Amino acid sequence: MTTVGEFMTTRLVTMDGNDTLIAAAQEMRDSAIGDVVVTDGDSVVGIVTDRDITVRGVAENMDPGSTRLNEITSRDVITVSQYDDAVSAADLMRTYAVRRLPVIDDGRLIGLVSMGDLAVEREPQSVLADISADDPNN
């Protein structure tokens, strides 16, 4: 059995829900990532992706300089443990139609597993795995 902890991403970027969309977009650009985990202290509140900023923020004519992450955060966060089976994590993603799952240990965020991580682990010859394993092109 392959566990989530064997291939989860531990290089995480977290931000406070009061941070602005611009701050999150700049952090994503600078870190070459597509999402930030929104936290309140040690608690995971939600996830904001680059697509959320575009679709929920900018496309809705929200001012990225004053709009806070709390206003667009996906809050129904499904989490997993580092000891959970990778297949179970993939099933959760499919069931809840999400592409990322925060990995929690004893109530603390320790990692993130994405659909791309699962593809690299489970189907290394797939197109998604190939794209996910490649260096960012930005």
Side-chain angles (χ1 to χ4, degrees):
M1 171 178 87
T2 303
T3 64
V4 168
E6 293 176 52
F7 61 93
M8 69 183 182
T9 299
T10 56
R11 195 189 87 187
L12 301 171
V13 175
T14 63
M15 297 186 78
D16 186 85
N18 289 316
D19 288 327
T20 65
L21 303 188
I22 284 181
Q26 291 170 338
E27 184 64 48
M28 289 180 204
R29 177 199 62 206
D30 295 346
S31 299
I33 57 174
D35 60 84
V36 295
V37 179
V38 181
T39 57
D40 181 7
D42 287 338
S43 300
V44 174
V45 175
I47 295 177
V48 170
T49 66
D50 47 6
R51 186 174 192 283
D52 293 333
I53 291 171
T54 302
V55 174
R56 294 182 184 168
V58 176
E60 293 297 326
N61 207 31
M62 294 178 166
D63 177 8
S66 63
T67 301
R68 306 293 173 195
L69 293 178
N70 281 334
E71 298 177 55
I72 66 162
T73 298
S74 298
R75 294 186 177 276
D76 297 328
V77 180
I78 308 302
T79 63
V80 292
S81 160
Q82 64 182 324
Y83 306 109
D84 286 343
D85 178 53
V87 174
S88 297
D91 288 344
L92 282 173
M93 287 180 184
R94 186 176 313 116
T95 299
Y96 292 98
V98 295
R99 296 179 180 163
R100 298 163 183 86
L101 299 171
V103 182
I104 306 294
D105 184 32
D106 199 25
R108 190 174 56 88
L109 178 67
I110 62 165
L112 189 74
V113 62
S114 71
M115 187 179 301
D117 296 331
L118 288 170
V120 169
E121 174 61 28
R122 304 295 296 171
E123 298 177 31
Q125 302 306 315
S126 70
V127 173
L128 179 56
D130 189 44
I131 292 168
S132 298
D134 207 9
D135 291 331
N137 64 359
N138 52 355

